[in-house]
Amino acid sequence: MTKEEILRKHKQFLFPSITTYYSDPLVTDHASMQHVWDVDGKKYLDFFGGIVTISVGHCNPRVTAKVKAQVDKLQHASTVFPNEAVVALAEKIAQITPGEISQSFLSNSGTEANETAVQLARMYTGHFEVVVLRHGYSGRSQMAQSMTGHGTWRRSLPTPAPGFVHALNPYCYRCPLGKTYPSCEVACANDVEAVIQTTTSGQIAAFLAEPIQGVGGFITPPKEYFKMVFKIVKNYGGLFISDEVQTGWGRTGKRWFGIEQWEVTPDIITSAKGMANGAPVGLTATRPEIAASFKGLQISTFGGNPVTSVAAKATIDLIEEDRLMDNAAMVGSYYRKGLESLQEKHELIGDVRGMGLLQAIEFVKDRATKEPAPEVTNQFMEECRKRGLLVGKGGLFANVIRTSPPLNITTADVDEAVRIMDESLAAMNAVEYHSSTADERRATQMRPQINAKKLE
Ligand SMILES: Cc1ncc(COP(=O)(O)O)c(C=O)c1O
């Protein structure tokens, strides 16, 4: 098929709600390790990896060789037939998950993983209400959308599922309490208690959060935040669920799971995305006594599929064998310095944040007012794409660039990415995006125009 045919059929046969990046959508053809090629043969350095999913490089031969062998051996079993692939994966997960987490329920997506975790917490505790965070993202089912703290991702929700309450999130760059760290003494953590006391019965089933909020724009909490919240959650009878869909498997550097960076041992871990380097997977892992509280029968037709299980195990083994958690920390801190040097040079960058190889930049029109600059974000993506770099976006105001390259990239890849970002920002004629005075902002209705001619 030609590019035009693919795009026409995409429009004709897929739901229009499936949005794509770029004014001229990028039609992918093939990929290898940190690179993707489009159908016109243009090569890109991929610093987003699908959506935070490629952990060890696209089509990494050390993963695909095992997947190919498994496809020929046993492609499907379902949860009613035990097989070596699924138990080998579950055993590996038990070895690397924190605390006494040692049993897994495997499914197909992060959405399912979170649903399973909430169901389980309710059955184990006998309580119903669950505290989640504003700006969080939990998935696309009715329950997961109800947990999500972004209006934009809740619009298809006719009635939210009951039992979810949203506490303030630890968004230091835009503190919901108008305070500054560290003099704030992490006051936002106390909102979890206030929300429990005022909007629940006082007995909660769980608290569920991402150690670094992904879709929210890699919002990274102060180091004390989760320890403080953990104590509150325990005081009110809840389980602590760490959503590791974006932060798991070494992504944040040095440790397997993001929550370990905050020195908290969760009761349940959920994951998906990078766990199987692109194969569809969902994981809910917990301690045996919690897993045992699941009432009734459960199947998942594709959960723990042998091919997916082999892909996940091969991915995790590769991360371990090549010490990619250390690489994520080392190359991640080198990358972070590169992004900070861009921030020094380009006024549009209001904040740089993240951990390991999960790094974001937040664009603002004005550093003093922090007015979000979503147009800049879109244009930056276009400019990077022109120069051969793929990045993602996110944030409640759609003004955050999210990057999550494979964990085995090198400093040379980082140099190339930072150079392209620098050139892209320079080409954007940044002055055009600034609304330096209140009058000017009103005049442009907060939507400064891009000088199209200068962009060519
Ligand atoms: C933190 C988090 N949880 C859950 C999900 C839902 O995962 P999935 O899209 O696999 O259902 C996502 C997806 O982006 C996510 O980022």
Side-chain angles (χ1 to χ4, degrees):
M1 281 189 227
T2 62
K3 176 181 169 183
E4 289 66 34
E5 264 179 294
I6 295 170
L7 290 176
R8 185 175 52 72
K9 290 185 189 212
H10 192 278
K11 223 177 186 155
Q12 190 175 353
F13 298 116
L14 294 171
F15 275 23
S17 57
I18 302 169
T19 54
T20 54
Y21 278 166
Y22 306 117
S23 51
D24 173 25
L26 192 158
V27 181
T28 44
D29 185 65
H30 64 283
S32 172
M33 300 307 283
Q34 72 273 49
H35 294 111
V36 171
W37 283 259
D38 69 16
V39 285
D40 297 323
K42 185 172 163 69
K43 182 181 175 186
Y44 302 90
L45 177 61
D46 186 2
F47 260 46
F48 200 34
I51 306 176
V52 197
T53 295
I54 299 300
S55 294
V56 296
H58 287 276
C59 307
N60 187 314
R62 282 162 65 191
V63 176
T64 54
K66 291 180 181 165
V67 167
K68 285 174 191 166
Q70 185 62 41
V71 171
D72 286 336
K73 187 179 175 208
L74 178 70
Q75 199 265 322
H76 176 74
S78 88
T79 43
V80 297
F81 297 109
N83 59 80
E84 183 180 336
V86 73
V87 298
L89 172 63
E91 183 179 26
K92 186 78 210 169
I93 293 167
Q95 285 163 1
I96 63 172
T97 40
E100 286 154 36
I101 291 176
S102 63
Q103 291 190 330
S104 292
F105 185 87
L106 291 151
S107 54
N108 308 290
S109 65
T111 301
E112 277 184 77
N114 282 338
E115 289 239 11
T116 307
V118 170
Q119 287 175 330
L120 193 54
R122 286 175 172 165
M123 286 183 265
Y124 180 73
T125 60
H127 308 149
F128 187 71
E129 287 148 315
V130 176
V131 183
V132 286
L133 294 181
R134 296 182 191 183
H135 298 233
Y137 182 85
S138 296
R140 54 171 294 282
S141 65
Q142 198 217 10
M143 192 199 270
Q145 277 190 68
S146 306
M147 288 188 248
T148 292
H150 280 244
T152 36
W153 297 107
R154 293 170 61 102
R155 290 202 183 128
S156 62
L157 195 61
T159 323
F164 296 101
V165 291
H166 292 77
L168 297 175
N169 67 334
Y171 193 175
C172 292
Y173 183 63
R174 297 179 187 279
C175 175
L177 296 169
K179 294 178 185 278
T180 306
Y181 179 81
S183 60
C184 64
E185 296 183 353
V186 197
C188 56
N190 298 326
D191 190 57
V192 172
E193 181 157 38
V195 161
I196 294 172
Q197 288 175 341
T198 57
T199 66
T200 77
S201 62
Q203 292 280 289
I204 59 166
F207 167 85
L208 181 147
E210 305 152 73
I212 293 174
Q213 291 183 311
V215 173
F218 295 176
I219 297 171
T220 311
K223 61 182 186 313
E224 301 87 349
Y225 176 80
F226 277 114
K227 270 192 200 165
M228 290 169 71
V229 168
F230 184 82
K231 276 196 198 128
I232 297 168
V233 171
K234 291 296 147 189
N235 283 343
Y236 291 88
L239 296 186
F240 188 105
I241 305 171
S242 183
D243 178 338
E244 301 277 353
V245 168
Q246 300 206 13
T247 51
W249 319 107
R251 168 78 36 207
T252 58
K254 293 260 183 231
R255 300 192 162 78
W256 281 109
F257 296 97
I259 198 66
E260 294 175 280
Q261 306 287 2
W262 310 127
E263 295 170 17
V264 161
T265 305
D267 299 296
I268 304 178
I269 272 182
T270 62
S271 196
K273 288 194 185 290
M275 175 177 170
N277 204 41
V281 67
L283 166 71
T284 310
T286 189
R287 298 195 299 274
E289 79 269 19
I290 299 175
S293 67
F294 209 104
K295 297 184 183 75
L297 300 174
Q298 275 217 90
I299 59 160
S300 173
T301 303
F302 297 122
N305 172 279
V307 178
T308 303
S309 295
V310 161
K313 170 86 167 35
T315 303
I316 297 167
D317 285 345
L318 201 159
I319 293 169
E320 190 167 57
E321 283 157 23
D322 289 6
R323 305 181 63 91
L324 295 186
M325 291 186 286
D326 292 343
N327 196 59
M330 193 269 289
V331 179
S333 88
Y334 180 79
Y335 179 33
R336 175 62 168 264
K337 286 193 191 98
L339 293 178
E340 283 167 355
S341 70
L342 291 181
Q343 185 183 23
E344 276 166 28
K345 198 166 158 191
H346 301 280
E347 279 285 305
L348 289 167
I349 301 179
D351 195 27
V352 175
R353 57 176 178 258
M355 197 177 266
L357 283 172
L358 195 73
Q359 295 288 341
I361 52 185
E362 176 159 352
F363 282 123
V364 288
K365 290 173 188 166
D366 180 325
R367 283 194 183 174
T369 64
K370 299 186 181 176
E371 185 187 340
E375 303 89 343
V376 170
T377 315
N378 285 338
Q379 196 58 38
F380 179 76
M381 290 179 74
E382 299 279 356
E383 293 294 327
C384 287
R385 182 232 179 132
K386 262 196 239 167
R387 294 169 177 78
L389 174 70
L390 304 182
V391 295
K393 72 172 169 177
L396 185 65
F397 313 109
N399 67 326
V400 180
I401 290 293
R402 293 193 288 157
T403 60
S404 50
L407 305 181
N408 43 6
I409 58 156
T410 63
T411 52
D413 297 313
V414 167
D415 288 342
E416 186 182 343
V418 171
R419 176 186 55 76
I420 292 177
M421 290 179 185
D422 192 17
E423 285 174 17
S424 298
L425 283 160
M428 281 163 64
N429 184 18
V431 175
E432 295 293 321
Y433 294 94
H434 288 276
S435 45
S436 48
T437 66
D439 281 351
E440 202 184 324
R441 274 199 295 283
R442 268 192 295 279
T444 56
Q445 295 173 322
M446 317 267 267
R447 299 183 78 82
Q449 300 298 306
I450 295 161
N451 185 335
K453 273 199 185 133
K454 289 189 180 158
L455 288 175
E456 280 162 14

